[in-house]
Amino acid sequence: MADSEEKMQKAIHSLTDTFAAIRTGRASAALFDKVRVDCYGQKSPLNQVATIAIPEARTVVIQPFDKSLIGDIEKAIQAADLGLNPSNDGKVIRIAIPPLTADRRKELVKQAKADAENYRTQIRNIRRDGNDALKKQQKSGELTEDGLKSETDKLQKLTDKYIAEIQKLYDAKEKEILEG
């Protein structure tokens, strides 16, 4: 049970990170969490090679720790397919976050919905694995028939709780995207 709950919590945490990376109309440092910069022969997260500041609601300023990486950072942002156009002045990279079009908003809502469904499936798979483990315990005599029913019910309630949490996160993200 504890193992299943821990896996479900990790899935929720992962979904939160996934949703943070979905662009809304506002500037956010989380947009760049998945951006990897090719520097010194290896891919590094952007936040490890530069500071990311949000001076205004629709502006992001990225200041590399090493000025020679400015071109690599710019390429990495463009390659990340975030729909953003970075521009640099030799010292910092400025990115203006354009307002989202209605079509782009619908696309982002669709992406968020697909992500939420993938995580619901993960939660159900964790439940299935937990139920399989409980059945094995019953077969080996560690669990009675009533114990199996009780634990299965607890696991189902846990599953329902986390699926409701996913729905709540999705609803909030959908509202954020559409309001943007």
Side-chain angles (χ1 to χ4, degrees), residues 7-78:
K7 287 178 183 173
M8 288 180 187
Q9 284 174 344
K10 285 180 181 173
I12 294 291
H13 183 71
S14 181
L15 176 63
T16 305
D17 291 346
T18 300
F19 278 173
I22 294 177
R23 183 165 90 79
T24 59
R26 289 184 212 96
S28 164
L31 282 175
F32 303 97
D33 285 352
K34 296 207 178 347
V35 175
R36 299 280 182 256
V37 180
D38 198 9
C39 66
Y40 313 120
Q42 66 184 35
K43 298 259 184 198
S44 300
L46 178 59
N47 62 5
Q48 290 182 7
V49 297
T51 56
I52 303 170
I54 315 292
E56 298 165 24
R58 292 191 183 274
T59 307
V60 178
V61 175
I62 299 172
Q63 185 168 14
F65 300 136
D66 178 354
K67 304 251 184 287
S68 68
L69 293 175
I70 207 156
D72 293 328
I73 292 172
E74 215 169 353
K75 283 182 201 150
I77 292 168
Q78 289 168 336

Side-chain angles (χ1 to χ4, degrees), residues 7-176:
K7 287 178 183 173
M8 288 180 187
Q9 284 174 344
K10 285 180 181 173
I12 294 291
H13 183 71
S14 181
L15 176 63
T16 305
D17 291 346
T18 300
F19 278 173
I22 294 177
R23 183 165 90 79
T24 59
R26 289 184 212 96
S28 164
L31 282 175
F32 303 97
D33 285 352
K34 296 207 178 347
V35 175
R36 299 280 182 256
V37 180
D38 198 9
C39 66
Y40 313 120
Q42 66 184 35
K43 298 259 184 198
S44 300
L46 178 59
N47 62 5
Q48 290 182 7
V49 297
T51 56
I52 303 170
I54 315 292
E56 298 165 24
R58 292 191 183 274
T59 307
V60 178
V61 175
I62 299 172
Q63 185 168 14
F65 300 136
D66 178 354
K67 304 251 184 287
S68 68
L69 293 175
I70 207 156
D72 293 328
I73 292 172
E74 215 169 353
K75 283 182 201 150
I77 292 168
Q78 289 168 336
D81 196 27
L82 298 170
L84 302 172
N85 288 324
S87 64
N88 81 66
D89 63 8
K91 293 180 183 157
V92 297
I93 297 172
R94 293 187 196 288
I95 302 170
I97 306 290
L100 296 171
T101 63
D103 288 344
R104 183 68 177 141
R105 286 179 198 276
K106 287 177 188 166
E107 218 175 275
L108 290 172
V109 167
K110 203 180 286 185
Q111 178 187 344
K113 190 172 194 162
D115 289 339
E117 189 51 45
N118 289 340
Y119 282 93
R120 283 188 198 100
T121 303
Q122 273 187 22
I123 296 290
R124 290 185 198 108
N125 289 341
I126 293 167
R127 175 190 60 196
R128 186 197 59 224
D129 294 345
N131 281 336
D132 291 348
L134 289 171
K135 286 175 187 166
K136 283 180 186 167
Q137 285 181 347
Q138 192 220 358
K139 279 184 182 170
S140 69
E142 295 173 46
L143 207 57
T144 64
E145 186 84 30
D146 289 342
L148 174 66
K149 174 94 176 95
S150 169
E151 291 299 309
T152 304
D153 288 347
K154 284 182 192 171
L155 190 56
Q156 183 58 49
K157 283 185 178 124
L158 196 64
T159 302
D160 293 343
K161 172 185 157 190
Y162 282 103
I163 287 191
E165 179 73 19
I166 288 171
Q167 187 61 43
K168 200 166 78 177
L169 289 169
Y170 167 73
D171 290 344
K173 190 62 180 183
E174 180 185 37
K175 184 178 176 197
E176 184 184 342

